[in-house]
Amino acid sequence: MRLEQRIGRIHRYGQERDCLIFNFVARNTREGRVLEKLLDRLDEIRRELGSEQVFDVVGEVVPANFVERLLRDHYAGRISSDEMLERIVEEVDREKFAKITTSALEGLARRELNLAELIGRRAEAKERRLVPEVVEEFFLEGGPIAGIAPKRERPFIARVGRLPRQLLDVGRALEPRYGRLGREYRRIAFAREVLEQEPTLEWVTPGHPLFESVREEVWRRSQDDLRRGAVFFDLHREEPARLDVYDCSIKDGTGQTLHRRLFVVEATSGGFELRQPTVLLDLSPGVGAPPPIAVGSREESERFLVESALAGFLEEVQEQRQQEVETISRHVELSLNTLIDRLQIQVGDLVEQAARGEEGAAGRLSQAEERLDELNARLEQRREELAKQWQLALADLRHLGSAWVLPHPDREGAFAPMVRDPVIEAIAMREAMAFEESNGWEPEDISKENRGFDILSRRRGDVGVRFIEVKGRASLGPISLTSNEYRTAQRLGEDFWLYAVFDCGSEAPRLIRVQDPARLGWEPVVTVE
């Protein structure tokens, strides 16, 4: 696909000479037959559409792992050679190419790059990326809920076996979006690096039909548990609270869902507070019944959410959509009006040729007028669609579940040394923030957002970023991380820093900085009941 895109670029960027492009394919191999069929199909569509843009947008139509997935299905015995070639004809569809090449300028406009914005989002992208450890953990823990029993052989490799009927039914429902689900998976990998040593493994990651089917089935089977609710313990909490989890989407006037986001509202005897969904990652499973304390009702919780968060959510998306629609509108008007003007000149020439009685001029004039009508109709249609895309509204506010969070019963016993001292932690945060500022960084305190670290620090005038977890001790003592902080450290690697501040109870606190602390020999702290 990259080769085909480069063909398009050679012809597009100021090339004044004809170019011959040679794609060498080994015909006597399965891979060769697949690639030959794919190239023939692309060339066939190019001739039908009369546009070299087919090669520019092939990545928009054909999934990046399409060929690899076809070959894997074939080697695994799930499809025959003939079925493999038929799938190419089905997937590489003329109508998809026609739709995309017609609006190629709009697609480029939608992707207009804002360098400053991209740099600003770099830290967020790093923080939220899914690493193989997270994918593997979800699949191994969620698999039994979905009806399979994956067996971990070694890091990032597991055995699955035949899939149960109910999971196959889920896969069939998801097939239009993620591709065909196999009936059996022997050995699978969760990390690309593993495939370099064993290329015959099936790489299972978000977007793979097996992963998505397991995720969908886990979600379906967890609905009763979510409605019933649960009890959790929090080591640092002094009073009980109820957490209500919601999700809400934003749709435009065409009915398209633009964004969907999770929200958590914490209800205590003192009122309501908006929390990040990651607050759940710092809790441990608890036992017992909710305590008889008075907190606000769920209706009040929902009203608080609407007033405190959803209006801002809508405003944020409206701002993004406004910039996008304005940019696309300019390109639509420019590109389609340019084509219309060009065609009108051509129609004028053909009218004169027809008047002179030139052979075939009347037929060409009829075709040009029909094309002109199509372009004018498309311009009006796009104007109407863009007007609807301006109109945004909140939709589908759903209550997903509730949980009671109780003070941990061992917070004054075995786990007492791990309980935060707010005074000591404030001193440690002050020392860490001062260090960053004095060294040319711009630190931001996000300690209340439960993101697995306390400070997001950016280098002034650069794209450097640090994710800093701060721990304070009155004198000396062991440093402990929550499971959320430890997993975040694993995920972010060398971008994650631990700032341990000792002697916070003295006049001269000491800051010790550790880069990539997950590489150290941490030991889990547990209690036995």
Side-chain angles (χ1 to χ4, degrees):
M1 293 177 196
R2 284 194 292 270
L3 285 173
E4 291 301 329
Q5 287 173 321
R6 278 158 178 73
I7 293 172
R9 292 188 184 119
I10 287 170
H11 281 274
R12 186 171 59 188
Y13 293 135
Q15 178 57 258
E16 296 178 355
R17 298 176 181 271
D18 289 338
C19 296
L20 296 178
I21 311 296
F22 294 91
N23 286 290
F24 291 95
V25 175
R27 291 174 180 267
N28 60 340
T29 65
R30 293 186 180 106
E31 292 88 343
R33 287 195 293 274
V34 168
L35 289 173
E36 186 178 25
K37 185 71 173 180
L38 179 59
L39 292 170
D40 288 346
R41 180 64 176 155
L42 289 172
D43 199 48
E44 178 184 334
I45 293 173
R46 179 190 63 79
R47 290 194 302 272
E48 291 177 4
L49 297 180
S51 172
E52 295 292 336
Q53 279 188 326
V54 166
F55 299 122
D56 295 345
V57 300
V58 64
E60 302 278 341
V61 177
V62 184
N65 62 348
F66 173 63
V67 173
E68 180 186 6
R69 186 180 295 174
L70 272 184
L71 291 168
R72 285 182 183 276
D73 285 348
H74 177 60
Y75 291 142
R78 291 191 282 270
I79 58 174
S80 65
S81 294
D82 291 340
E83 288 174 324
M84 185 166 55
L85 299 180
E86 288 171 9
R87 289 269 292 278
I88 291 176
V89 177
E90 293 171 7
E91 188 75 23
V92 185
D93 181 50
R94 178 189 182 281
E95 295 307 315
K96 292 180 184 177
F97 275 98
K99 183 177 179 181
I100 289 181
T101 53
T102 304
S103 56
L105 282 177
E106 297 174 34
L108 292 171
R110 191 184 300 272
R111 295 174 181 82
E112 188 170 65
L113 296 182
N114 181 327
L115 185 58
E117 183 181 354
L118 287 176
I119 291 173
R121 291 186 179 179
R122 178 173 177 266
E124 181 181 336
K126 266 189 181 179
E127 179 191 347
R128 295 188 177 183
R129 68 186 175 213
L130 274 178
V131 295
E133 290 86 353
V134 175
V135 175
E136 179 183 42
E137 182 182 19
F138 172 82
F139 191 89
L140 294 180
E141 292 190 11
I145 300 174
I148 61 176
K151 299 290 190 299
R152 190 172 190 259
E153 280 191 2
R154 55 187 175 89
F156 307 131
I157 295 180
R159 288 185 176 272
V160 177
R162 293 190 66 83
L163 304 186
R165 178 177 296 177
Q166 73 270 12
L167 199 60
L168 293 174
D169 292 340
V170 174
R172 275 190 287 272
L174 297 177
E175 185 172 333
R177 185 173 181 186
Y178 299 112
R180 190 172 299 176
L181 178 67
R183 293 183 173 275
E184 182 177 2
Y185 293 88
R186 295 178 182 174
R187 299 175 72 236
I188 63 173
F190 301 104
R192 181 193 290 270
E193 295 75 22
V194 174
L195 297 176
E196 295 176 1
Q197 287 82 41
E198 298 189 56
T200 58
L201 294 176
E202 184 87 11
W203 185 22
V204 174
T205 193
H208 187 281
L210 177 59
F211 185 92
E212 297 301 335
S213 298
V214 168
R215 177 159 63 177
E216 182 69 20
E217 183 66 0
V218 168
W219 172 250
R220 185 186 69 81
R221 293 195 181 197
S222 64
Q223 293 307 297
D224 288 342
D225 295 306
L226 287 170
R227 280 190 290 268
R228 189 161 46 245
V231 174
F232 292 94
F233 290 149
D234 185 352
L235 193 61
H236 307 292
R237 187 176 295 275
E238 296 181 354
E239 67 166 327
R242 188 187 72 237
L243 299 179
D244 289 310
V245 184
Y246 302 89
D247 78 342
C248 182
S249 64
I250 292 179
K251 294 186 177 181
D252 64 14
T254 67
Q256 179 187 4
T257 299
L258 303 181
H259 288 272
R260 184 180 295 278
R261 186 173 294 177
L262 280 174
F263 297 90
V264 175
V265 176
E266 180 181 299
T268 63
S269 57
F272 297 97
E273 183 181 354
L274 196 66
R275 303 297 301 271
Q276 291 290 327
T278 45
V279 67
L280 295 163
L281 298 177
D282 279 331
L283 308 178
S284 55
V287 294
I293 65 168
V295 298
S297 66
R298 210 181 85 191
E299 289 73 19
E300 292 174 304
S301 166
E302 191 169 311
R303 187 161 56 248
F304 171 82
L305 174 65
V306 172
E307 295 170 354
S308 63
L310 297 190
F313 177 36
L314 179 60
E315 186 177 324
E316 173 192 334
V317 177
Q318 278 177 327
E319 185 177 344
Q320 295 173 359
R321 174 45 66 101
Q322 180 178 350
Q323 294 175 354
E324 185 177 285
V325 172
E326 285 178 350
T327 305
I328 292 174
S329 295
R330 289 196 302 270
H331 283 265
V332 165
E333 295 290 338
L334 174 64
S335 59
L336 288 179
N337 278 314
T338 299
L339 292 173
I340 288 170
D341 290 344
R342 190 183 300 164
L343 200 55
Q344 284 175 333
I345 294 171
Q346 184 180 342
V347 167
D349 292 340
L350 289 170
V351 167
E352 293 180 2
Q353 294 172 19
R356 292 196 299 267
E358 292 187 16
E359 184 179 352
R364 293 195 299 274
L365 174 61
S366 175
Q367 291 177 346
E369 288 176 335
E370 185 177 329
R371 174 65 176 152
L372 186 59
D373 289 340
E374 288 178 4
L375 287 174
N376 280 305
R378 174 161 177 76
L379 180 58
E380 290 304 314
Q381 178 189 351
R382 290 300 291 128
R383 285 170 175 168
E384 292 175 8
E385 290 173 354
L386 289 167
K388 290 179 181 178
Q389 289 176 9
W390 282 98
Q391 305 160 11
L392 304 186
L394 295 167
D396 304 329
L397 175 59
R398 299 183 300 172
H399 179 261
L400 300 180
S402 298
W404 276 100
V405 185
L406 312 181
H408 200 293
D410 288 333
R411 71 186 308 271
E412 296 180 0
F415 292 161
M418 298 174 63
V419 178
R420 293 192 192 100
D421 183 327
V423 175
I424 297 299
E425 292 295 328
I427 294 172
M429 283 290 292
R430 187 172 65 238
E431 291 292 319
M433 297 282 282
F435 176 87
E436 290 296 288
E437 290 171 352
S438 65
N439 284 274
W441 292 70
E442 296 178 346
E444 179 186 357
D445 182 353
I446 58 167
S447 54
K448 293 184 178 180
E449 297 184 13
N450 298 97
R451 288 161 64 174
F453 54 94
D454 296 315
I455 297 174
L456 179 61
S457 188
R458 296 183 176 90
R459 185 189 292 277
R460 295 191 189 105
D462 197 357
V463 296
V465 63
R466 290 175 180 158
F467 305 91
I468 303 170
E469 174 59 28
V470 180
K471 296 293 181 182
R473 293 293 179 265
S475 54
L476 294 175
I479 298 297
S480 60
L481 297 178
T482 67
S483 57
N484 181 28
E485 292 162 354
Y486 181 68
R487 289 174 181 175
T488 304
Q490 285 183 310
R491 189 170 75 249
L492 296 174
E494 293 185 353
D495 294 317
F496 191 97
W497 290 75
L498 173 64
Y499 283 19
V501 185
F502 297 104
D503 298 329
C504 290
S506 70
E507 295 182 357
R510 295 186 299 114
L511 171 62
I512 306 296
R513 301 166 63 241
V514 181
Q515 186 178 18
D516 189 12
R519 61 187 164 79
L520 304 179
W522 297 88
E523 293 289 341
V525 179
V526 298
T527 57
V528 179
E529 297 180 0

